[in-house]
């Protein structure tokens, strides 16, 4: 059945099962490729195969011309875990300067509402697609993110660093989506059509500089980082639901489309078996109770005053006056990062060529 977000307010054992299926390819017919992806076809097929009494939510995060993108993670955690807020407050819904697809699609709430997630995507250069990697980067906040941004005045690094050492931090730094299940279906062709019989890339002019027998196979381990991110966050990834399947070995890319995959009975049997294992595991596990601090129903607080303080901090930093005693002050004093500039948007290469750091 279609997802009804209002059911998220019901006791978890009184609402329907709910799953979220994500097509992780970058490709959409409404952009340069001009053709939809195989993962989109598989996403829709899986949705139809799920039990009829479940709420089935799905999303295609592929690129569409002119549509906003998932903004990158700013690595707040590396300054302080307490600076990384749950859900992410580096961006916000409706912001014109930094429009963010994660917020516009309400992905934080939808991930929260689901008992299980199914991620379907290709191998791109021995790794996951850019979009799904960026989405999971932005989910770092589900693992110990700060659910009370007022404690750090929205985004004050010095307050966050201090909070991380206070006793109350242990009570709020939680795995906010703990208990859910995540499954991964990964497919790839090993670039077989671009290889010589010795498995070396055919375009190389000096093919002897590496041993193809020592090259990564490009199998399910390409998504290992995402799987372990889930596991660190208390999200169960059963080994049986972390699945890789080859497709299109030796075919030209133009002969390796969704319609070709759909016509491959052996491949589709493997995919359908994975979806059946997913449904069986999720059903047996039961609905997942919500966390203490939810993304569903979350209303970001106003932070006009906090933004004004942070803007003042930023302007002082640009003229070489970081907060006394701060990490930024120490770095400046010791000449570690050489980052006192009036216009931080200007690239380092441009400044280097002008022969001037301070502008």
């Amino acid at each position: 059945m279609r997802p009804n977000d209002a059911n998220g307010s019901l006791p978890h054992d009184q609402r329907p099962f709910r799953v979220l299926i994500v097509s992780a390819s970058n490709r959409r017919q409404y952009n340069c490729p001009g053709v939809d992806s195989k993962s989109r076809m598989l996403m829709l097929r899986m949705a139809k195969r799920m039990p009829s009494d479940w709420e089935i939510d799905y999303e295609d995060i592929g690129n569409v011309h002119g549509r906003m993108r998932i903004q990158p993670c700013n690595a707040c955690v590396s300054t302080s875990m307490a600076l990384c807020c749950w859900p992410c407050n580096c961006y916000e819904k409706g912001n014109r300067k930094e429009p963010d697809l994660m917020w516009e699609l309400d992905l934080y709430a939808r991930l929260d509402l689901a008992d299980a997630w199914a991620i379907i995507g290709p191998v791109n250069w021995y790794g996951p697609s850019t979009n799904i990697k960026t989405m999971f980067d932005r989910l770092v906040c589900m693992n110990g993110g700060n659910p009370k941004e007022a404690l750090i005045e929205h985004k004050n690094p010095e307050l966050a660093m201090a909070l991380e050492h206070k006793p109350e931090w242990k009570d709020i730094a939680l795995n906010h989506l703990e208990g859910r299940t995540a499954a991964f279906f990964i497919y790839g062709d090993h670039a077989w059509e671009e290889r010589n019989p010795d498995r070396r890339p055919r375009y190389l002019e000096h093919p002897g500089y590496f041993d193809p027998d020592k090259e990564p196979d490009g199998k399910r381990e390409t998504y290992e980082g995402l799987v372990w991110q889930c596991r660190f966050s208390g999200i169960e990834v059963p080994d049986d639901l972390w699945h890789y399947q080859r497709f299109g070995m030796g075919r030209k890319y133009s002969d390796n489309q969704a319609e070709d995959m759909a016509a491959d009975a052996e491949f589709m049997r493997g995919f359908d078996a994975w979806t059946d294992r997913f449904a069986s595991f999720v059903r047996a596990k039961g609905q997942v109770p919500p966390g203490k601090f939810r993304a569903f129903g979350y209303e970001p607080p106003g932070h006009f005053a906090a933004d004004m303080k942070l803007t003042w901090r930023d302007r002082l930093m640009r003229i070489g006056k970081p907060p006394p005693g701060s990490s930024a002050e120490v770095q400046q004093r010791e000449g570690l990062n050489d980052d006192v500039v009036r216009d931080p948007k200007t690239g380092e290469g441009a400044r280097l060529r002008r022969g001037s750091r301070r502008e």
Side-chain angles (χ1 to χ4, degrees):
M1 70 176 90
R2 292 183 179 180
N4 180 0
D5 293 350
N7 287 335
S9 299
L10 297 174
H12 75 276
D13 56 353
Q14 296 180 21
R15 59 172 177 76
F17 277 92
R18 177 161 170 159
V19 299
L20 173 64
I21 310 171
V22 177
S23 169
S25 172
N26 296 338
R27 193 158 59 122
R28 285 294 297 276
Q29 68 179 11
Y30 303 109
N31 204 325
C32 302
V35 177
D36 273 327
S37 66
K38 295 180 281 292
S39 68
R40 179 179 175 85
M41 179 271 292
L42 295 173
M43 173 189 74
L44 297 175
R45 181 183 179 96
M46 183 178 189
K48 293 177 181 177
R49 291 181 59 82
M50 291 294 98
S52 59
D53 59 331
W54 288 12
E55 291 185 341
I56 310 302
D57 191 10
Y58 58 76
E59 192 58 70
D60 188 336
I61 59 173
N63 296 330
V64 174
H65 179 72
R67 185 170 78 161
M68 62 191 67
R69 304 284 187 262
I70 298 175
Q71 293 281 359
C73 173
N74 292 320
C76 295
V77 169
S78 295
T79 292
S80 167
M81 191 69 236
L83 191 62
C84 178
C85 289
W86 166 254
C88 174
N89 71 341
C90 293
Y91 309 97
E92 59 187 1
K93 194 168 186 175
N95 190 297
R96 295 182 179 180
K97 290 185 178 180
E98 293 184 302
D100 175 41
L101 194 63
M102 284 287 286
W103 275 108
E104 294 302 319
L105 295 179
D106 290 324
L107 281 174
Y108 290 108
R110 292 162 68 185
L111 289 159
D112 184 350
L113 285 165
D115 297 294
W117 315 332
I119 311 297
I120 304 170
V123 175
N124 289 353
W125 285 120
Y126 301 98
S129 69
T130 304
N131 289 356
I132 196 65
K133 177 60 168 65
T134 305
M135 188 186 95
F136 270 87
D137 282 350
R138 291 284 303 287
L139 286 175
V140 63
C141 56
M142 69 182 176
N143 173 226
N146 179 4
K148 296 186 176 183
E149 66 168 74
L151 296 176
I152 60 168
E153 294 182 354
H154 181 56
K155 268 309 190 188
N156 185 305
E158 286 70 50
L159 290 179
M161 290 170 128
L163 175 60
E164 199 172 12
H165 294 274
K166 293 181 179 179
E168 62 187 295
W169 175 241
K170 294 181 180 180
D171 297 326
I172 60 176
L174 308 173
N175 279 333
H176 300 294
L177 298 178
E178 181 115 21
R180 285 160 184 76
T181 299
F184 294 83
F185 184 88
I186 309 149
Y187 57 88
D189 61 12
H190 293 224
W192 220 247
E193 205 278 324
E194 297 182 62
R195 297 174 186 260
N196 290 318
D198 65 358
R199 296 176 49 239
R200 285 184 168 86
R202 65 174 59 172
Y203 306 119
L204 294 182
E205 295 183 3
H206 51 297
Y209 78 95
F210 76 101
D211 183 353
D213 290 332
K214 297 179 180 179
E215 183 182 9
D217 282 335
K219 296 182 180 179
R220 74 171 197 164
E221 288 75 18
T222 56
Y223 277 60
E224 184 175 13
L226 309 189
V227 169
W228 279 96
Q229 180 180 350
C230 288
R231 289 174 171 174
F232 266 93
S233 303
I235 297 162
E236 187 172 7
V237 183
D239 193 68
D240 198 34
L241 298 183
W242 178 14
H243 180 74
Y244 172 86
Q245 196 160 320
R246 290 183 176 185
F247 175 74
M249 298 286 286
R251 298 182 185 179
K252 293 187 180 299
Y253 296 128
S254 55
D255 299 326
N256 190 2
Q257 304 303 311
E259 64 270 23
D260 303 305
M261 180 179 278
D264 187 322
E266 182 179 358
F267 182 92
M268 298 312 298
R269 278 195 297 271
F271 177 75
D272 291 345
W274 175 79
T275 65
D276 292 344
R277 294 196 302 271
F278 174 84
S280 177
F281 184 90
V282 173
R283 175 79 78 182
K285 184 174 181 177
Q287 286 101 326
V288 178
K292 182 178 180 181
F293 303 101
R294 302 200 65 183
F296 167 66
Y298 174 77
E299 291 293 337
H303 41 73
F304 178 80
D307 278 346
M308 291 299 99
K309 291 182 181 180
L310 292 173
T311 297
W312 180 242
R313 179 185 186 275
D314 174 73
R315 295 303 183 267
L316 290 174
M317 297 274 284
R318 295 186 189 202
I319 59 174
K321 296 183 178 180
S326 68
S327 181
E329 184 191 43
V330 174
Q331 291 181 19
Q332 179 177 306
R333 183 174 65 247
E334 297 185 6
L336 300 178
N337 282 324
D338 189 20
D339 199 23
V340 177
V341 291
R342 297 186 185 277
D343 179 16
K345 294 181 182 180
T346 302
E348 299 298 327
R351 295 194 187 96
L352 185 65
R353 283 156 178 78
R354 292 172 187 167
S356 173
R357 288 288 309 163
R358 301 196 179 202
E359 300 172 356

